[in-house]
Amino acid sequence: MITGRYADVIVDISHEKVDRPFQYRIPQPLLGKISPGMCVVVPFGKGDRERTGYVIGVTDRPGYDEDKIKEILRIADKGVSAAGSQIRLAAWMRERYGSTMITALKTVLPVKQRMRAQTKRRISLAVSSGEAESIIMECRRKHQNARLRLLETLFSKKEIAYEYAVRTLSVTPAVIRALEEKTIIAVSSEVFYRNPVREAAVGAGAKEQTVVYSSQQQTVIDHVLADYRAGRPGTYLLHGITGSGKTEVYMELIAGVTALGKQAIVLIPEIALTYQTVSRFTSRFGSRVSVMHSRLSAGEKYDQWERADKGEIDVMIGPRSALFTPFSRLGLIIIDEEHEASYKSETMPKYHAREAACELASYYGASVVLGSATPSLESYYASETGLIRRYELTKRLTGGQLPQVYVEDLREELRRGNRSIFSSRLQRLLEQRLAAGEQSMLFLNRRGYAGFVSCRACGHVMKCVNCDVSLSEHRNGRLVCHYCGYEQPAVTVCPECGSKYIAAFRAGTEQIEECLHRMYPQARVLRMDADTTRRKESYEEILAAFAGGEADILVGTQMIVKGHDFPNVTLVGILAADLSLHAGDYRAGERTFQLLTQAAGRAGRGKKPGEVVIQTYQPDHHSIRYAAAQDYQGFYAEEMGYRELLGYPPSAHMLAVLILSGEESTGRELAERLVRETAGALSVSSYREKKVQVIGPAPAGIGRIAGQYRTVFYGKCSDMTALIYIKDRLEAFLDEQKTQGESVQFDFDPMNSY
């Protein structure tokens, strides 16, 4: 422990005006016991109200008049301490993304409260067999039936669980205590961890596996491990087509670093992926694997945190927050499906797990591996410009071919009189699968849906004249751009072909399920979406049922198309490719390409060939053409052309500034003041030549949430440091203002539109 007399404490108050450490005197009894990261209780404010806080530094020098420095009251009994690396990462997040320090600290401490340890109590005989027989005879004579039941059971079984004695034998704790006091029986306690990894998944422990790697896989394994062993940890992009064996590469890399005494974190984008992923990793690494995600109980979360902190596990698997596992010997971070938007936090600080992972890895000298069949443009751009190293896996492990993909033009279906949700080809292929006993997946591509307006006859989409993103339909009869604020009246006739079939696109998984039951009453259908996965175990139950052949068709949203491996699935239907294609978002084309490619990759992963049907009103859109061809390089080249032309990431960077206000007019007024402050700050800085473009302010896509009006404006620039400078100046400006009822959030390179 550090032996300073004063501690700098970040007090647990999420308010911009107190976003600084406060100094406290360390009382005599706690000298030498307080260190950075520790959770403490301190008096705060005029009324000396007790609040918790985190120590971020210890010193021997008072920062101001000693008489005014209050004392720390005590170490928090239930508080979880932060490691030095977590404090450092929180400070980096606060500076990089904007937030208060306490908010950043809470982000890197997903487990904030100690939980009582669970114990298993066992009862055994403490006397010899002869003595036990004598005591049993006496209990029988005196009709002490409870004692008799317990002692007779122990005489035959030697040892039983305490709960068994109470619940099954109906022996009261008082009876057990009395026998224990007479030293006739002994009660022992053993602390055990709540384990969220099912024993069935762990099995008998780690198993030796003989895996024959392809030459491409072996190259990745050899190079990454050789770099690490030579003290040259790096960041790598593993671009592998669906079914090419990325997970096998991950596991061998983990085996390599854990053999050196290091630990690994594996990030996955969805809780829905946990079941299959954990099963595969525990079959290789046994009980040294654990999970961390939001559906665990508070006790389960705390126990996994404790196990990691004590070095009792080597591999932690989970979504974004698993990145903050308190490993002290971190050697490798793997981010699977690294392109997923769920790796970006939607609350302050709005960090990206990919960027935070690289920062965290630098503290430990760890390597980072980014894996995807459809890498984010940011990661691929970094590999193209030499910032990170890229490896390609171009062949499926099974030796099978990528599925046959059909693009069905829904405009033609309408002309032929087919008004069903399903195209004629998809209906025919579904019938074939049902007859053959093979499985199908139907994916409703509704991610990012924001009420775009399109023509069913010609496919024309109403777009902003300034931003090349779709306009969104509002209830007031207006079409609005959520980047620049451009508006126009709603349309009832297509301006391109004159058709009356123009409207906002709407669909739902429940509607699709009902339609399947009507058309194919013999089919067994499972649905997986937000409504059917509310319970803690629902993900595993649905996926296990489908994997076990208990259903013919699985209907769902994007959660069914990421990383799952079902060998009997030979047909995938993508029902509405256009839903994410026109989400009013500059990333809509990229997101659509990724979702369609990932969905297509679920078909034909076993020995049987697969087929994919993509239904769309715009079959000629580049995202759909390249997804059907599984051509990432072609898509990247064309999409980057658009990004460079319009100054969107990764060719440039964006800063979204979101203003939340209880009054619409005051929110708009604050947004306009911030835009003026941005222009003024740039004009007198070294960044005035950086060509920062400011767009807006405009109402956000959802103009009001929970009584808060939302206004947004954007800054675009090729130099990220210029945008960070703007963020810093706006934070300083807001600190000086007496704003009431308004708050401001910053988001760099946003993953979703506002």
Side-chain angles (χ1 to χ4, degrees), residues 404-416 418 420-429 456 459 505 571-578 581 596 611-621 624-625 628:
Q404 173 70 48
V405 181
Y406 308 99
V407 178
E408 296 301 301
D409 188 342
L410 293 180
R411 298 170 301 181
E412 288 298 323
E413 294 290 319
L414 182 63
R415 294 186 189 109
R416 291 197 294 264
N418 180 12
S420 165
I421 295 173
F422 309 121
S423 64
S424 300
R425 185 189 297 273
L426 183 54
Q427 292 180 43
R428 186 170 66 253
L429 293 178
R456 304 298 183 269
F505 200 108
L571 174 64
V572 170
I574 300 167
L575 301 182
D578 310 77
L581 191 58
L596 300 190
E611 293 180 289
V612 179
V613 177
I614 299 176
Q615 299 186 168
T616 176
Y617 288 97
Q618 289 194 284
D620 296 326
H621 192 283
I624 293 172
R625 284 190 290 106

Side-chain angles (χ1 to χ4, degrees), residues 368-573:
V368 178
V369 176
L370 312 171
S372 178
T374 54
S376 63
L377 263 66
E378 283 82 355
S379 293
Y380 204 84
Y381 182 78
S383 73
E384 287 284 276
T385 54
L387 293 176
I388 63 176
R389 190 166 182 176
R390 183 174 79 241
Y391 294 97
E392 305 276 352
L393 300 179
T394 59
K395 298 176 182 177
R396 279 194 158 180
L397 278 186
T398 57
Q401 299 297 312
L402 288 170
Q404 173 70 48
V405 181
Y406 308 99
V407 178
E408 296 301 301
D409 188 342
L410 293 180
R411 298 170 301 181
E412 288 298 323
E413 294 290 319
L414 182 63
R415 294 186 189 109
R416 291 197 294 264
N418 180 12
R419 297 179 182 274
S420 165
I421 295 173
F422 309 121
S423 64
S424 300
R425 185 189 297 273
L426 183 54
Q427 292 180 43
R428 186 170 66 253
L429 293 178
L430 277 170
E431 291 164 4
Q432 290 176 4
R433 266 49 184 194
L434 289 170
E438 297 172 4
Q439 291 177 302
S440 305
M441 295 173 71
L442 298 181
F443 164 50
L444 179 61
N445 183 18
R446 71 180 184 192
R447 183 175 187 170
Y449 166 62
F452 77 91
V453 175
S454 67
C455 176
R456 304 298 183 269
C458 72
H460 177 74
V461 173
M462 301 300 295
K463 286 194 170 186
C464 175
V465 296
N466 303 317
C467 301
D468 194 35
V469 298
S470 62
L471 299 173
S472 295
E473 182 182 62
H474 282 227
R475 291 180 179 177
N476 61 3
R478 308 287 290 176
L479 300 181
V480 180
C481 172
H482 296 139
Y483 278 102
C484 69
Y486 170 82
E487 291 187 26
Q488 71 172 67
V491 294
T492 55
V493 175
C494 176
E496 190 73 16
C497 72
S499 167
K500 63 180 180 180
Y501 296 110
I502 186 166
F505 200 108
R506 304 186 187 279
T509 50
E510 195 169 356
Q511 176 188 4
I512 294 161
E513 183 184 23
E514 291 170 358
C515 187
L516 285 169
H517 285 309
R518 285 196 305 271
M519 295 175 66
Y520 312 110
Q522 80 281 16
R524 298 168 301 165
V525 181
L526 280 172
R527 175 163 58 93
M528 189 170 182
D529 55 22
D531 292 330
T532 63
T533 56
R534 295 185 189 278
R535 289 187 301 104
K536 182 179 178 181
E537 306 294 341
S538 52
Y539 286 99
E540 296 181 12
E541 290 170 0
I542 294 171
L543 293 171
F546 190 62
E550 296 176 26
D552 304 303
I553 304 171
L554 177 62
V555 179
T557 51
Q558 68 268 14
M559 64 178 69
I560 73 170
V561 302
K562 300 168 185 173
H564 302 305
D565 192 348
F566 302 112
N568 199 39
V569 170
T570 58
L571 174 64
V572 170

Side-chain angles (χ1 to χ4, degrees), residues 8 26 161 190 276 321 337-338 392 404 630 638 665 678 750:
D8 295 324
I26 301 173
E190 178 187 357
Q276 277 198 340
S321 62
E337 309 291 2
E338 66 83 26
E392 305 276 352
Q404 173 70 48
Q630 303 274 293
E638 188 160 342
S665 58
T678 298

Side-chain angles (χ1 to χ4, degrees), residues 95 352 548 676:
E95 291 301 317
H352 197 295
R676 290 194 297 270

Side-chain angles (χ1 to χ4, degrees), residues 184-203:
I184 297 171
I185 64 172
V187 179
S188 60
S189 296
E190 178 187 357
V191 175
F192 74 98
Y193 289 116
R194 306 164 182 91
N195 190 357
V197 179
R198 291 185 174 182
E199 291 184 11
V202 177

